[in-house]
């Protein structure tokens, strides 16, 4: 059996509000295989975004570890965490987090430039990816000149430009109307199938949930298959 592209073992995380300790993750385990699409659901405040931040190495757990493509990201140096994210991970969030001063093409090509790709190569691959998401004609537009659906498609293109092993997505269609949400999600599924990229999606969108391979519910700090 091949090694999972992402695995978490024994994740624990708690916060304090005054004298009260709130346990958010409680010995959580999960594993995601190559090309697998997994939805994470749960009530508001259950810790879904906290979990994604820990899986991405943006926050440290109190206990346990996360491995991405075989490399431990928990308690790694800042440089190693950045390298793992750039080489193996992509991100799509509810708010697209595009850099407003850069064009769509520059935003999409950014991960390749950070990886050390020369400008011409990054530009060519960025244009190819924008063609894939149907936005080649918007390559030189800045985010403020794009619609909400277009901005999110640019964010998906940026997440996949480096052909990562896994994409983490936090409510990626939460700010979109139904038609745009379905268009963006169909695009994500299509690109996932084409590239073999795994997805972990935090979502409340039942249409998205119907189209993934597994649905996990975060409840009382642990992940279980949703019944």
């Amino acid at each position: 059996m091949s090694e999972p592209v992402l695995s978490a073992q024994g994740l624990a995380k708690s916060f304090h509000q005054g004298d009260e300790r709130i346990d958010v993750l409680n010995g959580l385990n999960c594993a995601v295989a190559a090309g697998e699409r997994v939805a994470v659901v749960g009530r508001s405040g259950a810790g879904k975004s906290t979990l994604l931040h820990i899986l991405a190495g943006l926050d440290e757990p109190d206990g346990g570890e996360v491995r991405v493509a075989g490399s431990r990201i928990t308690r790694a140096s800042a440089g190693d965490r950045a390298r793992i994210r750039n080489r193996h991970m992509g991100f799509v969030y509810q708010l697209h987090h595009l850099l407003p001063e850069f064009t769509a093409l520059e935003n999409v090509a950014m991960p390749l430039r950070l990886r050390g790709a020369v400008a011409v190569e990054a530009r060519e691959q960025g244009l190819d990816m924008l063609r894939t998401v149907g936005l080649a004609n918007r390559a030189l537009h800045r985010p403020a000149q794009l619609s909400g659906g277009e901005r999110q498609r640019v964010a998906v293109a940026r997440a996949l430009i480096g052909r990562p092993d896994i994409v983490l997505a936090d409510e990626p269609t939460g700010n979109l109307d139904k038609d745009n949400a379905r268009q963006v999600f169909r695009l994500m599924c299509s690109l996932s199938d084409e590239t073999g990229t795994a997805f972990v999606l935090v979502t409340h969108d039942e249409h998205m949930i119907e189209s993934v391979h597994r649905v996990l519910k975060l409840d009382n700090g642990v992940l279980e298959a949703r019944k």
Side-chain angles (χ1 to χ4, degrees), residues 108-130:
V108 171
M110 191 71 67
L112 297 182
R113 296 290 285 142
L114 293 173
R115 191 180 289 187
V118 297
V120 171
E121 177 187 349
R123 178 183 174 85
E124 288 177 354
Q125 291 188 42
L127 275 173
D128 283 343
M129 185 56 73
L130 283 173

Side-chain angles (χ1 to χ4, degrees), residues 38-53 90-97 148-149 151-153 155-156 158 167-177 180-182 184-185 188 199-209 212 215-216 218 226:
V38 178
V40 177
V41 300
R43 60 178 173 76
S44 178
K48 301 184 297 296
S49 293
T50 297
L51 173 61
L52 278 194
H53 289 168
F91 305 91
V92 183
Y93 297 107
Q94 183 172 349
L95 297 174
H96 49 79
H97 292 300
R151 287 193 291 267
Q152 206 64 337
R153 279 191 280 159
V156 171
R158 180 183 58 185
V167 169
L168 304 181
D170 194 356
E171 296 285 2
T173 61
N175 275 353
L176 302 179
D177 60 60
N180 271 307
R182 291 189 174 184
V184 168
F185 185 61
M188 291 168 66
F199 275 77
V200 175
L201 307 149
V202 166
T203 184
H204 292 97
D205 187 332
E206 285 295 329
H207 177 73
M208 294 179 70
I209 290 169
V212 299
V215 181
L216 301 177
L218 181 58
R226 191 179 78 161

Side-chain angles (χ1 to χ4, degrees), residues 35-126:
E36 187 178 23
R37 292 192 293 274
V38 178
V40 177
V41 300
R43 60 178 173 76
S44 178
K48 301 184 297 296
S49 293
T50 297
L51 173 61
L52 278 194
H53 289 168
I54 290 174
L55 295 179
L58 300 172
D59 192 7
E60 289 284 4
D62 299 330
E65 74 167 26
V66 175
R67 288 185 174 271
V68 179
S71 297
R72 180 171 57 82
I73 197 169
T74 44
R75 290 173 290 282
S77 69
D80 284 344
R81 291 197 307 272
R83 177 186 57 78
I84 291 167
R85 283 192 292 266
N86 184 258
R87 292 285 176 179
H88 301 291
M89 307 182 84
F91 305 91
V92 183
Y93 297 107
Q94 183 172 349
L95 297 174
H96 49 79
H97 292 300
L98 299 177
L99 298 173
E101 66 272 28
F102 293 102
T103 65
L105 176 57
E106 289 166 336
N107 269 283
V108 171
M110 191 71 67
L112 297 182
R113 296 290 285 142
L114 293 173
R115 191 180 289 187
V118 297
V120 171
E121 177 187 349
R123 178 183 174 85
E124 288 177 354
Q125 291 188 42

